[in-house]
Amino acid sequence: MLNTDPNLPDPDEAYARLIAAHDGLSEAESHAMNARLVLILMNHIGDRTVLDEALRLAREGAGS
Amino acid sequence: MTDRGTDQYRQVFRLYPYAKLPDQQSALPVRHPVVVVGAGPVGLAVALDLSRQGVPVLLLDEAEGPGIGSRALCFAKRTLEICDRLGAAEAMVAKGVEWNLGKVFHDDRLLYEFNLLPESGHAFPAFINLQQPWFEKFLHDAIRAAQADGAPIRIRGRNRVEAVTPAGDHVSVEISTPDGPYHVEADWLIACDGARSPVRHMLGLGFEGRVFEDNFLIADVRMKGDFPTERWFWFEPHFKSGDSALLHRQPDDIWRIDFQLGWNIDRDKELEPANIRARVDAMLGPDVEYELDWCSIYTFQCRRMEKFRHDRVIFAGDSAHQLSPFGARGANSGIQDADNLCWKLKLVLEGVAPDTLLDSYEAERIQAADENILHSTRSTDFITPKSPVSRLFRNAVLDLAEQLPFARGMVNSGRLSTPCIHDGSALNGPDHSAMPRRSRPGSPCPDAPVEAGWLLRQLGPGFTLMTIDAEAPETLSAHGLTVARLALTARGNEALRERYLGKAASAVYLIRPDRHIAARWKSFDESAIGAALARAIARE
Ligand SMILES: Cc1cc2nc3c(=O)[nH]c(=O)nc-3n(C[C@H](O)[C@H](O)[C@H](O)COP(=O)(O)OP(=O)(O)OC[C@H]3O[C@@H](n4cnc5c(N)ncnc54)[C@H](O)[C@@H]3O)c2cc1C
């Protein structure tokens, strides 16, 4: 089951760290980094149903 | 597939020279139980398998042996196991090359190395590299040996099939030869006539699927010095040869190099020796001495026929399905077609099984073809990403693979051909949940060392009842078949326990003639086994 309840102890800080991690990267480099990040997190999660749910949720955000 | 540069009538080996035969003069067409069209790897295997089981076969080919030119190179373990049953594998392994170390490059960086470390306890390696003409020659040698033992097989070179006409209870076949045309009739016609299949065209049948078109320059080079027996694969090679390049070894100091050239190329220019040498030099580095042995440009497609059986005409091998080169699945899957078909056709010809048994050939091998096409397509999409975002993720995987083992699992430069597990096949009987998944009904039997040698070599030509630490009669007769028992013990045999028993204390396996598992139980139960046997020959 995908956990969509608030789960980050300090959301503001977590968000700031994500943005800071991209500091100084070109747009292309940032996209590449995001892709690596997705793969790393996917592997950490491992569970297929959780991933499917996450993919579905994210895709809905794209409005289609 | 198109092959530029091959003179189709030049041969590597002249295996079955043309000879004029009485059939050709006969006023009435001679009737044959089985006519096989095409003596490529698949036709040779079909003819050999059937005739070793006593079914008379006429094998026709328009040439007199394998044509010149590079084709299949990697032959997988399952193929070798099947060829071993047919008496041809030892020569293949003796001549073939094995490799264990692979290297993966992106651009000019070595990302990582891997060692295949295949599972131990199998008679055959995960695969060998062997040029296709040799593979065909060894099958042909086995045919000659079988003939000497009385197997009813006839091969006719320079016999080209010109027309195939279904005629109710038989198929009429028109053949042209250097001495003019003649007719034969076939109860069953097996079309193993390759990707361009003239028989498919004669019957007006389609060949559908996703077209994957790319040009591959295949160069076989003879190395003069030492060069390591490793497989090297490049993504986006720095020597600017399209999306990928591959280098691996063949027998006789020949290395196979594949350059994936892309779409819009000038073929004639690419084939000029100076241009080929420029690519090879860039790949191997300046100090490596080699000779060009053979070069050609191929295009590939991924597609299959909608149905493999058309009444009395059955398609097998490339005529039925065509695959991209990644993963070396063409000939390997074709040999499995032959393996699946022959015992079924034999039982139908003998009247032991209804001809609907042949529908299971179609169902099982379409399942396999779709699985192969899926793997081929995934490899292709990884190697040649179809969109910018797909390329972004592909390169992210490659970047991570340098450091992280999990990402190496995603790197797809072609997956090794493994046999299809026929889950859901109509021929499958009961399963037992305490036993390992890898040997569930529908699976090919995993090999294992047993007291008398290798397990697969203990299985007879018909159905086998394999008992592990279980009682059973020595033979069992039902539905016109005699099932021989193979009695084994897992005591002191960890490989056998792990592959067949799992948590069960004993096991009884019903094994098909193609060494796929039909059903399994914990102990012998005659009526259950009889029912599973009926099911496995479509008599239920
Ligand atoms: C460059 C390349 C690399 C490959 N690498 C691999 C690999 O590593 N591993 C792998 O498993 N596969 C590989 N393949 C695929 C493999 O070569 C084919 O899948 C295999 O040859 C198919 O065998 P077949 O018997 O079905 O057909 P074919 O080998 O095409 O044989 C068809 C036969 O039918 C005969 N014929 C055709 N028409 C007629 C007619 N009208 N009358 C009489 N005879 C006729 C032809 O003469 C020929 O002998 C590769 C292919 C290519 C091109």
Side-chain angles (χ1 to χ4, degrees), chain A residues 9-33:
Chain A
D10 186 345
D12 286 350
E13 203 242 351
Y15 182 80
R17 286 161 92 85
L18 176 64
I19 303 304
H22 285 267
D23 271 356
L25 297 184
S26 69
E27 191 170 342
E29 287 165 342
S30 270
H31 283 310
M33 177 182 142

Side-chain angles (χ1 to χ4, degrees), chain B residues 1 38 41-42 61-62 71-74 132 161 198 298 318 328 330-332:
Chain B
M1 179 210 67
V42 181
D61 199 285
E62 63 179 347
R71 296 186 71 190
L73 178 57
C74 298
Q132 182 165 334
V161 171
Y298 294 84
D318 274 16
N332 285 306

Side-chain angles (χ1 to χ4, degrees), chain B residues 77 81 118-126 438 445-449 454 456 499:
Chain B
K77 178 165 75 209
E81 290 171 352
E119 184 182 61
S120 65
H122 292 259
F124 291 100
R438 70 189 283 185
C445 287
D447 205 359
W454 294 105
L456 293 182
R499 290 167 203 179

Side-chain angles (χ1 to χ4, degrees), chain B residues 269-459:
Chain B
K269 201 175 128 217
E270 294 293 350
L271 276 173
E272 278 167 28
N275 290 329
I276 294 173
R277 293 196 79 95
R279 286 187 190 281
V280 176
D281 288 346
M283 172 190 260
L284 298 180
D287 309 321
V288 179
E289 271 193 73
Y290 62 88
E291 272 166 25
L292 296 179
D293 189 67
W294 171 266
C295 299
S296 187
I297 288 178
Y298 294 84
T299 61
F300 292 90
Q301 299 178 329
C302 259
R303 51 189 182 169
R304 72 158 166 88
M305 294 181 74
E306 195 192 328
K307 295 172 68 208
F308 292 0
R309 177 183 174 196
H310 291 266
D311 197 17
R312 292 179 170 275
V313 179
I314 297 173
F315 292 83
D318 274 16
S319 68
H321 44 74
Q322 206 188 351
L323 301 166
S324 88
F326 304 121
R329 285 157 187 278
N332 285 306
S333 67
I335 296 296
Q336 291 167 44
D337 291 349
D339 189 40
N340 190 293
L341 175 62
C342 290
W343 67 273
K344 295 176 180 176
L345 188 56
K346 172 188 183 257
L347 293 182
V348 170
L349 276 160
E350 287 174 349
V352 173
D355 80 271
T356 50
L357 181 58
L358 297 170
D359 295 334
S360 75
Y361 161 76
E362 173 171 280
E364 292 182 341
R365 295 315 298 166
I366 280 184
Q367 179 194 11
D370 286 348
E371 191 175 292
N372 283 319
I373 289 173
L374 178 71
H375 281 293
S376 265
T377 305
R378 284 180 175 169
S379 303
T380 304
D381 285 349
F382 192 87
I383 293 163
T384 308
K386 296 283 174 295
S387 67
V389 74
S390 165
R391 184 171 296 273
L392 180 75
F393 276 112
R394 196 284 304 273
N395 287 345
V397 169
L398 295 179
D399 286 346
L400 294 173
E402 218 173 335
Q403 309 290 337
L404 300 172
F406 91 79
R408 289 174 199 170
M410 286 179 157
V411 174
N412 188 344
S413 64
R415 298 281 178 227
L416 207 60
S417 157
T418 50
C420 181
I421 295 178
H422 300 304
D423 285 318
S425 168
L427 305 190
N428 293 352
D431 192 7
H432 192 286
S433 60
M435 295 175 197
R437 262 184 70 68
R438 70 189 283 185
S439 47
R440 64 189 183 274
S443 313
C445 287
D447 205 359
V450 294
E451 221 174 5
W454 294 105
L455 170 59
L456 293 182
R457 291 199 178 141
Q458 314 308 313
L459 300 170

Side-chain angles (χ1 to χ4, degrees), chain A:
Chain A
M1 262 278 281
L2 181 71
N3 183 4
T4 52
D5 295 336
N7 194 34
L8 296 163
D10 186 345
D12 286 350
E13 203 242 351
Y15 182 80
R17 286 161 92 85
L18 176 64
I19 303 304
H22 285 267
D23 271 356
L25 297 184
S26 69
E27 191 170 342
E29 287 165 342
S30 270
H31 283 310
M33 177 182 142
N34 279 339
R36 292 194 294 271
L37 185 64
V38 167
L39 292 167
I40 289 167
L41 296 177
M42 264 176 76
N43 179 63
H44 178 82
I45 293 165
D47 186 295
R48 186 181 158 161
T49 44
V50 174
L51 287 172
D52 282 351
E53 243 185 293
L55 288 169
R56 186 182 51 78
L57 259 186
R59 177 73 202 222
E60 274 170 13
S64 57

Side-chain angles (χ1 to χ4, degrees), chain B residues 271 405 479 481:
Chain B
L271 276 173
H479 308 293
L481 289 169

